[in-house]
């Protein structure tokens, strides 16, 4: 099996700088509790240049670099962030396997779909770069070969042909073994993996046992470590714990950006788009605030999600500081993308989505609705408003069932009547109940004016009639003449004259 390895150099440090850009270029360390002492788990480049090393106590590290800043190293958060990185690659590879704390393997068997293994590696680095990370990638047939070359090799993207693992590993230093066997081989005066591979297998086993034999086999390009894909969590949820409880919005905003960048990458990797999200602000010392966000259209764009989150959360008034921010995707749909018309700009469309989502979130789910076709011939009942939901799977050449797949038996039939000539225009706003008009008409039946709510409106233009009738088999048959009438002081309206009583009724208004 061909597998790739992604090594994000000092991943926890890079992640910290991405979350807090002001830390770029500064000396910092991530510390963890070890037997009651705070010790360095990871250090930034500037801290390393000052002499700070992994495993050093925080007191000793601060003595070397007085300006050193320290932050807690949370293993759970790092593992979650690394899993999110793996999910963002699912658009390029079928699966991934974490190698905490700063790397992961990925299945490279689909490399031919993107132009080969080198192109796959470049695409993986591109996905990482979009999230702000610097990394190295190696594709090989063995887990050890891909991992070691990505960590200790000099190429950003390396591809090791089948059977060439030993040759690729030979120049690497002995320290690349990263286990106790390295010390045993160094006693023999060896300094590279190629020198280890040249030793007789029997002598290595007799002198060093099973551990040394396993290290020797890996240096010769032999490794049977299986690839175990990471199971994907069904729930899409992520969180960021703030370094200190925040009583202003700025630290929360940085946490939101981190969360939504990761969530957008995870959604894109799964080829899903968020429909409804919930933000949870955990307060210090107790309590929480939950803020829902309903989207006007499914999206995985982190920038749009962040803009909407800022709008929703920026006006909150909380009684206690915020200690943790989390986001949960409550509903998501297939990411079908969007086809723009010629001349349309994606920026303008994103701005419109932002406005629509803000309206839906602020005014409620019923503020935005879509027209749902009904199998009714009566024109004012031919469509009804319904709450927004993600679009259903489209049927056609690209659908899983094919263009000739039968409709589900539970689906109601929809009949569409087409009239000769241009399609009849229908109003965007319908009255719940038609309003009777006190109309002034000529001897020929032409309307001159009408009174509505005690006020007279003169007719300035009138088009029609559109004569419709039907439903004679029901208890409410109809026979009507529909008109488009422009009333002075009211604007264009949809009016019909009932064939039973001869009166005019206002049915709707045009925007």
């Amino acid at each position: 099996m061909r597998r790739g390895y992604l090594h994000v150099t000092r991943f926890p440090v890079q992640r910290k700088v991405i979350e807090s850009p002001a830390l770029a270029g500064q000396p910092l360390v991530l510390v963890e509790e070890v037997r009651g002492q705070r010790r360095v788990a990871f250090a930034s480049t500037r801290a390393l240049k000052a002499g700070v090393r992994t495993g050093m106590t925080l007191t000793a590290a601060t003595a070397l670099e007085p300006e050193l800043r320290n932050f807690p190293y949370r293993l759970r958060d790092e593992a979650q962030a690394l899993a999110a990185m793996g999910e963002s690659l699912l658009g390029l590879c079928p699966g991934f396997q974490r190698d905490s704390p700063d790397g992961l393997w990925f299945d490279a068997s689909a490399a031919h779909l993107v132009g080969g293994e080198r192109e796959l590696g470049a695409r993986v680095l591109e996905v990482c770069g979009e999230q702000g990370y610097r990394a190295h990638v190696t594709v090989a047939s063995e887990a050890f070969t891909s991992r070691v070359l990505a960590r200790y090799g000099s190429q950003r993207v390396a591809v090791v042909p089948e059977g060439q693992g030993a040759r690729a590993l030979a120049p690497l230093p002995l320290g690349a073994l990263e286990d106790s066997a390295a010390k045993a081989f160094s006693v023999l005066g060896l300094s590279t993996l190629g020198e280890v591979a040249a030793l007789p297998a029997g002598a290595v086993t007799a002198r060093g046992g099973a551990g040394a034999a396993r290290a020797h086999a890996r240096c010769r390009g032999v490794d049977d470590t299986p690839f175990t894909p990471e199971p994907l969590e069904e729930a899409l949820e992520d969180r960021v714990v703030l370094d200190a409880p925040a009583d202003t919005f700025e630290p929360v905003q940085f946490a939101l950006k981190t969360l939504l960048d990761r969530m957008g990458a995870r959604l894109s990797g799964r080829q899903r788009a968020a429909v409804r999200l919930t933000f949870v602000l955990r307060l210090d010392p107790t309590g929480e605030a939950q803020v829902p966000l309903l989207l006007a259209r499914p999206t995985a764009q982190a920038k749009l999600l962040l803009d909407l989150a800022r709008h929703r959360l920026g006006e909150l008034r909380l009684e206690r500081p915020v200690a943790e921010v989390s986001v949960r995707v409550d509903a998501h749909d297939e990411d079908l993308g969007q086809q723009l018309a010629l001349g349309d700009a994606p920026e303008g469309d994103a701005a419109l989505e932002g406005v629509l989502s803000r309206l839906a979130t602020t005014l409620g789910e019923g503020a935005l609705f879509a027209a749902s076709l009904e199998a009714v011939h009566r024109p004012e009942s031919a469509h009804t408003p319904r709450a927004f939901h993600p679009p259903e799977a489209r049927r056609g050449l690209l659908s899983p069932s094919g263009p000739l797949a039968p409709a589900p038996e539970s689906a109601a039939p929809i009949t569409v009547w087409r009239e000769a000539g241009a399609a009849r225009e229908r109003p965007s706003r319908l009255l719940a109940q038609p309003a009777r008009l006190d109309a002034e008409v000529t001897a020929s039946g032409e309307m001159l004016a009408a009174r509505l709510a005690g006020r007279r409106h003169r007719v300035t233009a009138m088009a029609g009639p559109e004569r419709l009738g039907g439903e004679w088999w029901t208890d409410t048959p109809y026979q009507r003449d529909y008109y488009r009438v422009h009333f002075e002081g009211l604007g264009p309206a949809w009016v019909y004259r009932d064939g039973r009583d001869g009166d005019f009724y206002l049915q709707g208004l045009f925007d």
Side-chain angles (χ1 to χ4, degrees), residues 15 17-21 129-133 238-240 242 249-265 279 281 300-310 313 325-327:
R15 190 173 76 86
V17 173
I18 291 172
E19 292 179 6
S20 304
E130 291 172 354
Q131 300 175 58
Y133 293 101
D238 208 341
R239 67 165 192 156
V240 167
L242 303 184
F249 184 60
E250 185 175 3
V252 176
Q253 185 171 247
F254 280 121
L256 284 173
K257 185 179 186 308
T258 300
L259 279 174
L260 294 175
D261 281 347
R262 285 210 301 251
M263 189 59 70
F279 296 94
L281 306 179
Q301 298 179 27
K303 185 178 184 301
L304 175 60
L305 293 174
L306 180 59
D307 289 343
L308 298 175
R310 284 171 177 165
L313 302 178
V325 184
S326 64
V327 61

Side-chain angles (χ1 to χ4, degrees), residues 26 150 290 349 367 381 416 488 498:
Q26 300 299 314
Q290 295 196 16
D349 192 71
S381 303
V416 178
E488 189 176 52
D498 198 310

Side-chain angles (χ1 to χ4, degrees), residues 16-18 20-28 44 46 69:
K16 189 64 186 176
V17 173
I18 291 172
S20 304
L23 295 175
Q26 300 299 314
L28 68 96
S44 66
R46 183 169 168 183
R69 300 186 61 181

Side-chain angles (χ1 to χ4, degrees), residues 17 48 56 111 114 149 153 166 191 213 220 244 262 273 289 303 371 431 500:
V17 173
L48 292 172
M56 183 181 291
V114 295
L149 279 173
S191 59
R220 292 186 291 109
R262 285 210 301 251
K303 185 178 184 301
L431 276 64
R500 296 175 302 174

Side-chain angles (χ1 to χ4, degrees), residues 297 301 337-350 352-353:
R297 182 165 54 193
Q301 298 179 27
Q338 181 185 0
Q339 178 66 51
L340 297 176
L342 289 176
D344 284 354
E347 296 81 5
D349 192 71
L352 177 60
E353 286 188 42

Side-chain angles (χ1 to χ4, degrees), residues 175-223:
L177 286 176
E178 295 183 349
D179 58 19
S180 58
K183 185 176 180 180
F185 289 125
S186 66
V187 172
L188 300 176
L190 307 179
S191 59
T192 66
L193 300 188
E195 293 174 349
V196 174
L199 296 174
V204 170
T205 304
R207 184 180 182 91
R214 183 167 52 252
H216 179 253
R218 289 176 173 176
C219 292
R220 292 186 291 109
V222 179
D223 184 13

